[in-house]
Amino acid sequence: TITRSTQRAAELTRLIEPADDAIARRRDTRGDAFAMKVDGQTHAKRAPAGKQLKHLLLRESGTSPVPGQTRRIQAGELGGFPVVADVRSVLGTTEIITHLEGAPGTGLRLSRGELTKADPGGLITKLENRLRGLEEFKAETLAEIERLNGEAERATSELGADFPQAGKLAGARDRVRQITDELKAMAAESESGPTPGEADPDAGDLAE
C-alpha cells in the first residue's frame, strides 16, 4: 500500500506543473473566437473542423496497428495546442486517443467504431470542454494526491503494529488444530477395527 500510493502520488504530482502551464497559455475558443487548424487547413466553424478531423483520423487509423505499438497522428491545432492522436490495438480493437499535446487530462478515447458514429461538431466540443476543464482536472488531481499521501501515511503508521484481529486468528488456529487432532483420532480408531473382546454379542445367537 505504501509503495503503490507513493508511486501513484508522484506520478500525479508531475502533472501539476504542465497543467498550470497549459492554463496560462491556452487560447479562448468560445463563440466567435473559435478557430481550429486540421491537416493544414484553418476552420472558423466546429462542424467543418470536426468533419475533416474525423475523416483524417479514420483514414490514418484504417490500417490496424501492430499490437503493443502506438502510432501517433499529427492532426492540427486548437486553442494554442497541437492536436495529436495515438492509435493502438487493444484486445483486437483499434483505439484512438485524441488529445491536446502539452495539456494533461485532455484525452478523448474512442474506438474506431465509436469514431465512425461520432457527431463531427460534438467531437470538437468535447476537446474544447477538456481544454476549459483544466482547472477542474488540476483540483481533482491535487485531491487524489492528498488522498494517496494520507493512505501511505496511515499504512506507514501501522507497520509493526499488531494485526487487529490477531486474537480471533489465534483462536481460530487453535480450534483448527483441535478439530484436526479429533479427526486423526477418529481415523485411527476406525482403521484399527473392533478388538476380539468387542465382538458382536449377537453373533453367537445368529450362529445357533
Side-chain angles (χ1 to χ4, degrees):
T1 298
I2 295 168
T3 300
R4 184 185 66 248
S5 298
T6 302
Q7 289 178 346
R8 181 55 180 160
E11 292 172 1
L12 294 177
T13 298
R14 288 193 288 270
L15 297 177
I16 300 303
E17 185 175 347
D20 284 334
D21 292 341
I23 290 171
R25 57 182 276 231
R26 70 181 167 192
R27 293 202 304 263
D28 186 19
T29 61
R30 291 173 292 185
D32 294 337
F34 177 81
M36 181 177 184
K37 184 180 291 185
V38 181
D39 202 17
Q41 183 176 348
T42 301
H43 298 272
K45 299 292 183 182
R46 290 171 182 79
K51 185 176 181 180
Q52 187 175 7
L53 177 62
K54 180 177 175 179
H55 175 75
L56 172 66
L57 296 180
L58 288 174
R59 184 189 71 206
E60 294 297 324
S61 64
T63 302
S64 297
V66 177
Q69 295 184 4
T70 299
R71 186 169 74 255
R72 173 154 291 191
I73 301 170
Q74 301 293 336
E77 186 270 338
L78 175 66
F81 299 89
V83 179
V84 299
D86 293 330
V87 182
R88 63 187 185 183
S89 178
V90 180
L91 299 177
T93 300
T94 298
E95 183 180 69
I96 304 164
I97 306 172
T98 307
H99 59 98
L100 304 173
E101 194 171 32
T106 57
L108 177 60
R109 188 187 307 266
L110 296 171
S111 69
R112 196 167 188 278
E114 290 171 334
L115 178 61
T116 302
K117 300 175 183 178
D119 172 65
L123 186 64
I124 303 303
T125 299
K126 288 179 180 179
L127 286 174
E128 289 183 283
N129 288 341
R130 281 160 173 72
L131 186 58
R132 296 191 197 111
L134 283 171
E135 286 88 353
E136 182 179 355
F137 168 80
K138 178 185 174 181
E140 291 176 350
T141 301
L142 288 171
E144 180 64 5
I145 291 170
E146 184 177 357
R147 186 192 71 79
L148 289 167
N149 286 334
E151 189 174 80
E153 289 174 5
R154 285 191 297 273
T156 300
S157 68
E158 292 173 2
L159 282 176
D162 291 336
F163 176 51
Q165 305 298 327
K168 291 184 179 180
L169 178 60
R173 284 174 174 165
D174 289 341
R175 179 57 179 156
V176 168
R177 281 193 291 268
Q178 179 184 351
I179 293 173
T180 301
D181 291 342
E182 291 176 356
L183 290 174
K184 286 181 179 179
M186 292 172 62
E189 183 179 347
S190 176
E191 289 176 359
S192 64
T195 62
E198 294 177 336
D200 187 349
D202 296 330
D205 295 339
L206 290 173
E208 295 175 358

